[in-house]
mmCIF file with all atom_site columns, all heavy atoms in Angstrom:
data_model
loop_
_atom_site.group_PDB
_atom_site.id
_atom_site.type_symbol
_atom_site.label_atom_id
_atom_site.label_alt_id
_atom_site.label_comp_id
_atom_site.label_asym_id
_atom_site.label_entity_id
_atom_site.label_seq_id
_atom_site.pdbx_PDB_ins_code
_atom_site.Cartn_x
_atom_site.Cartn_y
_atom_site.Cartn_z
_atom_site.occupancy
_atom_site.B_iso_or_equiv
_atom_site.pdbx_formal_charge
_atom_site.auth_seq_id
_atom_site.auth_comp_id
_atom_site.auth_asym_id
_atom_site.auth_atom_id
_atom_site.pdbx_PDB_model_num
ATOM 1  N N   . SER A 1 32  ? -24.742 36.251 -18.036 1.00 88.00 ? 53  SER A N   1
ATOM 2  C CA  . SER A 1 32  ? -23.986 37.068 -17.084 1.00 88.00 ? 53  SER A CA  1
ATOM 3  C C   . SER A 1 32  ? -23.017 37.961 -17.853 1.00 88.00 ? 53  SER A C   1
ATOM 4  O O   . SER A 1 32  ? -22.494 37.545 -18.906 1.00 88.00 ? 53  SER A O   1
ATOM 5  C CB  . SER A 1 32  ? -23.215 36.210 -16.084 1.00 88.00 ? 53  SER A CB  1
ATOM 6  O OG  . SER A 1 32  ? -24.096 35.415 -15.324 1.00 88.00 ? 53  SER A OG  1
ATOM 7  N N   . TYR A 1 36  ? -13.981 43.539 -17.353 1.00 96.00 ? 57  TYR A N   1
ATOM 8  C CA  . TYR A 1 36  ? -12.656 43.227 -16.807 1.00 96.00 ? 57  TYR A CA  1
ATOM 9  C C   . TYR A 1 36  ? -11.717 44.318 -17.273 1.00 96.00 ? 57  TYR A C   1
ATOM 10 O O   . TYR A 1 36  ? -11.917 44.964 -18.310 1.00 96.00 ? 57  TYR A O   1
ATOM 11 C CB  . TYR A 1 36  ? -12.145 41.881 -17.329 1.00 96.00 ? 57  TYR A CB  1
ATOM 12 C CG  . TYR A 1 36  ? -12.603 40.665 -16.559 1.00 96.00 ? 57  TYR A CG  1
ATOM 13 C CD1 . TYR A 1 36  ? -13.909 40.204 -16.637 1.00 96.00 ? 57  TYR A CD1 1
ATOM 14 C CD2 . TYR A 1 36  ? -11.717 39.949 -15.750 1.00 96.00 ? 57  TYR A CD2 1
ATOM 15 C CE1 . TYR A 1 36  ? -14.324 39.070 -15.946 1.00 96.00 ? 57  TYR A CE1 1
ATOM 16 C CE2 . TYR A 1 36  ? -12.116 38.799 -15.055 1.00 96.00 ? 57  TYR A CE2 1
ATOM 17 C CZ  . TYR A 1 36  ? -13.435 38.383 -15.154 1.00 96.00 ? 57  TYR A CZ  1
ATOM 18 O OH  . TYR A 1 36  ? -13.836 37.265 -14.468 1.00 96.00 ? 57  TYR A OH  1
ATOM 19 N N   . GLN A 1 38  ? -7.608  44.962 -18.174 1.00 97.00 ? 59  GLN A N   1
ATOM 20 C CA  . GLN A 1 38  ? -6.326  44.292 -18.441 1.00 97.00 ? 59  GLN A CA  1
ATOM 21 C C   . GLN A 1 38  ? -5.236  45.312 -18.680 1.00 97.00 ? 59  GLN A C   1
ATOM 22 O O   . GLN A 1 38  ? -5.338  46.125 -19.591 1.00 97.00 ? 59  GLN A O   1
ATOM 23 C CB  . GLN A 1 38  ? -6.450  43.353 -19.649 1.00 97.00 ? 59  GLN A CB  1
ATOM 24 C CG  . GLN A 1 38  ? -5.172  42.502 -19.876 1.00 97.00 ? 59  GLN A CG  1
ATOM 25 C CD  . GLN A 1 38  ? -5.331  41.489 -20.998 1.00 97.00 ? 59  GLN A CD  1
ATOM 26 O OE1 . GLN A 1 38  ? -6.060  41.700 -21.960 1.00 97.00 ? 59  GLN A OE1 1
ATOM 27 N NE2 . GLN A 1 38  ? -4.654  40.357 -20.856 1.00 97.00 ? 59  GLN A NE2 1
ATOM 28 N N   . GLU A 1 43  ? -2.737  39.778 -16.553 1.00 96.00 ? 64  GLU A N   1
ATOM 29 C CA  . GLU A 1 43  ? -3.968  39.007 -16.625 1.00 96.00 ? 64  GLU A CA  1
ATOM 30 C C   . GLU A 1 43  ? -5.182  39.912 -16.536 1.00 96.00 ? 64  GLU A C   1
ATOM 31 O O   . GLU A 1 43  ? -5.119  40.992 -15.950 1.00 96.00 ? 64  GLU A O   1
ATOM 32 C CB  . GLU A 1 43  ? -4.023  37.964 -15.475 1.00 96.00 ? 64  GLU A CB  1
ATOM 33 C CG  . GLU A 1 43  ? -4.263  38.522 -14.090 1.00 96.00 ? 64  GLU A CG  1
ATOM 34 C CD  . GLU A 1 43  ? -2.989  38.952 -13.398 1.00 96.00 ? 64  GLU A CD  1
ATOM 35 O OE1 . GLU A 1 43  ? -1.999  39.243 -14.070 1.00 96.00 ? 64  GLU A OE1 1
ATOM 36 O OE2 . GLU A 1 43  ? -3.022  38.967 -12.150 1.00 96.00 ? 64  GLU A OE2 1
ATOM 37 N N   . ASN A 1 96  ? -20.251 27.996 -18.273 1.00 78.00 ? 117 ASN A N   1
ATOM 38 C CA  . ASN A 1 96  ? -19.642 29.132 -17.614 1.00 78.00 ? 117 ASN A CA  1
ATOM 39 C C   . ASN A 1 96  ? -18.358 29.600 -18.248 1.00 78.00 ? 117 ASN A C   1
ATOM 40 O O   . ASN A 1 96  ? -17.580 30.285 -17.631 1.00 78.00 ? 117 ASN A O   1
ATOM 41 C CB  . ASN A 1 96  ? -19.433 28.819 -16.138 1.00 78.00 ? 117 ASN A CB  1
ATOM 42 C CG  . ASN A 1 96  ? -18.654 27.538 -15.959 1.00 78.00 ? 117 ASN A CG  1
ATOM 43 O OD1 . ASN A 1 96  ? -18.306 26.891 -16.949 1.00 78.00 ? 117 ASN A OD1 1
ATOM 44 N ND2 . ASN A 1 96  ? -18.380 27.167 -14.746 1.00 78.00 ? 117 ASN A ND2 1
ATOM 45 N N   . TYR B 2 33  ? -10.096 26.653 -15.304 1.00 94.00 ? 43  TYR B N   1
ATOM 46 C CA  . TYR B 2 33  ? -10.176 27.030 -16.724 1.00 94.00 ? 43  TYR B CA  1
ATOM 47 C C   . TYR B 2 33  ? -8.794  27.318 -17.260 1.00 94.00 ? 43  TYR B C   1
ATOM 48 O O   . TYR B 2 33  ? -7.894  27.754 -16.527 1.00 94.00 ? 43  TYR B O   1
ATOM 49 C CB  . TYR B 2 33  ? -11.016 28.316 -16.887 1.00 94.00 ? 43  TYR B CB  1
ATOM 50 C CG  . TYR B 2 33  ? -12.308 28.338 -16.095 1.00 94.00 ? 43  TYR B CG  1
ATOM 51 C CD1 . TYR B 2 33  ? -12.315 28.751 -14.764 1.00 94.00 ? 43  TYR B CD1 1
ATOM 52 C CD2 . TYR B 2 33  ? -13.510 27.948 -16.664 1.00 94.00 ? 43  TYR B CD2 1
ATOM 53 C CE1 . TYR B 2 33  ? -13.493 28.769 -14.033 1.00 94.00 ? 43  TYR B CE1 1
ATOM 54 C CE2 . TYR B 2 33  ? -14.694 27.967 -15.946 1.00 94.00 ? 43  TYR B CE2 1
ATOM 55 C CZ  . TYR B 2 33  ? -14.674 28.370 -14.622 1.00 94.00 ? 43  TYR B CZ  1
ATOM 56 O OH  . TYR B 2 33  ? -15.831 28.402 -13.886 1.00 94.00 ? 43  TYR B OH  1
ATOM 57 N N   . GLN B 2 37  ? -4.263  33.975 -24.958 1.00 98.00 ? 47  GLN B N   1
ATOM 58 C CA  . GLN B 2 37  ? -4.334  35.280 -25.649 1.00 98.00 ? 47  GLN B CA  1
ATOM 59 C C   . GLN B 2 37  ? -3.116  35.392 -26.552 1.00 98.00 ? 47  GLN B C   1
ATOM 60 O O   . GLN B 2 37  ? -1.988  35.590 -26.045 1.00 98.00 ? 47  GLN B O   1
ATOM 61 C CB  . GLN B 2 37  ? -4.384  36.426 -24.629 1.00 98.00 ? 47  GLN B CB  1
ATOM 62 C CG  . GLN B 2 37  ? -4.628  37.797 -25.269 1.00 98.00 ? 47  GLN B CG  1
ATOM 63 C CD  . GLN B 2 37  ? -4.810  38.880 -24.250 1.00 98.00 ? 47  GLN B CD  1
ATOM 64 O OE1 . GLN B 2 37  ? -4.250  38.819 -23.140 1.00 98.00 ? 47  GLN B OE1 1
ATOM 65 N NE2 . GLN B 2 37  ? -5.602  39.893 -24.577 1.00 98.00 ? 47  GLN B NE2 1
ATOM 66 N N   . SER B 2 100 ? -21.922 32.408 -13.540 1.00 54.00 ? 110 SER B N   1
ATOM 67 C CA  . SER B 2 100 ? -21.974 33.797 -13.062 1.00 54.00 ? 110 SER B CA  1
ATOM 68 C C   . SER B 2 100 ? -21.076 34.049 -11.854 1.00 54.00 ? 110 SER B C   1
ATOM 69 O O   . SER B 2 100 ? -21.004 35.167 -11.389 1.00 54.00 ? 110 SER B O   1
ATOM 70 C CB  . SER B 2 100 ? -23.390 34.258 -12.766 1.00 54.00 ? 110 SER B CB  1
ATOM 71 O OG  . SER B 2 100 ? -23.836 33.807 -11.505 1.00 54.00 ? 110 SER B OG  1
ATOM 72 N N   . GLN B 2 103 ? -14.536 34.548 -12.070 1.00 89.00 ? 113 GLN B N   1
ATOM 73 C CA  . GLN B 2 103 ? -13.348 33.759 -12.362 1.00 89.00 ? 113 GLN B CA  1
ATOM 74 C C   . GLN B 2 103 ? -12.110 34.633 -12.080 1.00 89.00 ? 113 GLN B C   1
ATOM 75 O O   . GLN B 2 103 ? -12.031 35.767 -12.536 1.00 89.00 ? 113 GLN B O   1
ATOM 76 C CB  . GLN B 2 103 ? -13.352 33.320 -13.834 1.00 89.00 ? 113 GLN B CB  1
ATOM 77 C CG  . GLN B 2 103 ? -14.459 32.344 -14.128 1.00 89.00 ? 113 GLN B CG  1
ATOM 78 C CD  . GLN B 2 103 ? -14.423 31.799 -15.536 1.00 89.00 ? 113 GLN B CD  1
ATOM 79 O OE1 . GLN B 2 103 ? -13.387 31.773 -16.188 1.00 89.00 ? 113 GLN B OE1 1
ATOM 80 N NE2 . GLN B 2 103 ? -15.552 31.317 -16.008 1.00 89.00 ? 113 GLN B NE2 1
ATOM 81 N N   . GLY B 2 106 ? -4.874  33.803 -13.134 1.00 97.00 ? 116 GLY B N   1
ATOM 82 C CA  . GLY B 2 106 ? -3.480  33.829 -12.768 1.00 97.00 ? 116 GLY B CA  1
ATOM 83 C C   . GLY B 2 106 ? -2.717  34.801 -13.665 1.00 97.00 ? 116 GLY B C   1
ATOM 84 O O   . GLY B 2 106 ? -3.267  35.321 -14.633 1.00 97.00 ? 116 GLY B O   1
#
Side-chain angles (χ1 to χ4, degrees):
Chain A
S53 299
Y57 275 72
Q59 186 175 31
E64 73 273 24
N117 53 359
Chain B
Y43 314 86
Q47 186 174 31
S110 81
Q113 293 185 23

